[in-house]
Amino acid sequence: MTSTVPALGTRTAEGSALQAVLLDMDGTLVDTEGFWWDVETEVFASLGHTLDDSWRHVVVGGPMTRSAGFLIEATGADITLAELSVLLNDGFEQRIGRDLPLMPGAARLLAELSAHEIPTALVSASHRRIIDRVLKSLGPQHFALSVAGDEVPRTKPHPDPYLAAAAGLDVDPARCAVVEDTATGVAAAEAAGCHVVAVPSVAPITPAVRRTVVASLDEVDLVFLRGLMTRMR
């Protein structure tokens, strides 16, 4: 099908065209990083333990196996990783059922990518049950595919989720723009060879080669993303 929406930007060098946009979920599109910490705090309180607020930076952005495992070890809680994962997913699902705020600029960016028929994937360390719930609010029509943390051999900070998304879209990772909010996600995207836009949510992220840092998704549009392919070659 031929789009009636005018193309944005131009291809200035061979191999420099943007092929796809890969988006993180928690803290990037939806304002839920704080939700996870609140649920973790509540669950451990029910187990008789108080979480140290400094641990929040340790667990943010990572897979549940890592964050939950760290909290079990740090608190000495008498619970298995499998049992804790169920409690955390249940608590988070209940929380987003009450409220699921989008990050500033998220709805506008998704609408723009869809309007210009840019292949887009949702790539998250969250489990499939959580992603499917959030997709109902984000609009599943905006995404060609989604990759969950419990569907890949290794999740973030390993490159597997972004490599799986690129393969699923049949695109070159080096010609993908990734939008992430945590150092863990940035590491995964960079290990996959993608261009990265970091929108820090909880902890600061510094600029680097093939990495641009912005304050908000309000600064990110299709012209900006296409420009990454030439600015950071």
Side-chain angles (χ1 to χ4, degrees):
M1 181 177 71
T2 302
S3 172
T4 58
V5 180
L8 297 180
T10 58
R11 183 172 179 172
T12 58
E14 185 63 30
S16 66
L18 176 69
Q19 289 188 335
V21 177
L22 315 179
L23 299 161
D24 174 55
M25 188 176 76
D26 294 301
T28 298
L29 293 178
V30 289
D31 191 7
T32 51
E33 287 292 10
F35 286 12
W36 279 112
W37 180 249
D38 290 345
V39 170
E40 288 161 347
T41 299
E42 291 167 4
V43 167
F44 275 90
S46 71
L47 297 172
H49 298 275
T50 300
L51 300 187
D52 190 314
D53 197 60
S54 65
W55 297 342
R56 181 174 180 176
H57 296 293
V58 179
V59 301
V60 67
M64 184 171 291
T65 51
R66 188 195 75 184
S67 57
F70 169 82
L71 293 174
I72 290 173
E73 183 175 354
T75 61
D78 184 18
I79 190 170
T80 68
L81 182 59
E83 292 169 337
L84 180 57
S85 295
V86 170
L87 292 178
L88 293 177
N89 276 320
D90 286 348
F92 186 77
E93 196 165 357
Q94 292 172 10
R95 191 66 176 268
I96 62 177
R98 299 194 299 268
D99 182 33
L100 185 59
L102 300 189
M103 297 298 288
R108 187 264 315 151
L109 177 59
L110 290 175
E112 182 180 16
L113 295 175
S114 291
H116 289 273
E117 300 181 357
I118 303 299
T120 303
L122 187 65
V123 184
S124 176
S126 291
H127 289 188
R128 170 54 58 188
R129 60 179 286 196
I130 299 299
I131 288 182
D132 287 346
R133 185 69 176 266
V134 173
L135 275 171
K136 294 178 182 178
S137 295
L138 288 175
Q141 72 276 9
H142 294 306
F143 303 95
L145 62 84
S146 57
V147 177
D150 56 343
E151 295 175 338
V152 288
R154 303 177 303 172
T155 189
K156 304 172 186 179
H158 299 288
D160 305 39
Y162 284 110
L163 292 176
L169 295 174
D170 193 25
V171 296
D172 180 357
R175 290 167 64 182
C176 292
V178 168
V179 185
E180 272 281 359
D181 72 303
T182 67
T184 300
V186 167
E190 291 180 340
C194 304
H195 295 264
V196 180
V197 179
V199 192
S201 60
V202 176
I205 299 173
T206 58
V209 177
R210 296 172 68 89
R211 181 197 311 165
T212 298
V213 180
V214 299
S216 165
L217 286 182
D218 285 330
E219 300 179 41
V220 181
D221 58 16
L222 187 49
V223 170
F224 178 93
L225 294 172
R226 282 179 165 160
L228 296 177
M229 299 298 110
T230 55
R231 288 199 302 273
M232 297 190 294
R233 293 185 70 214

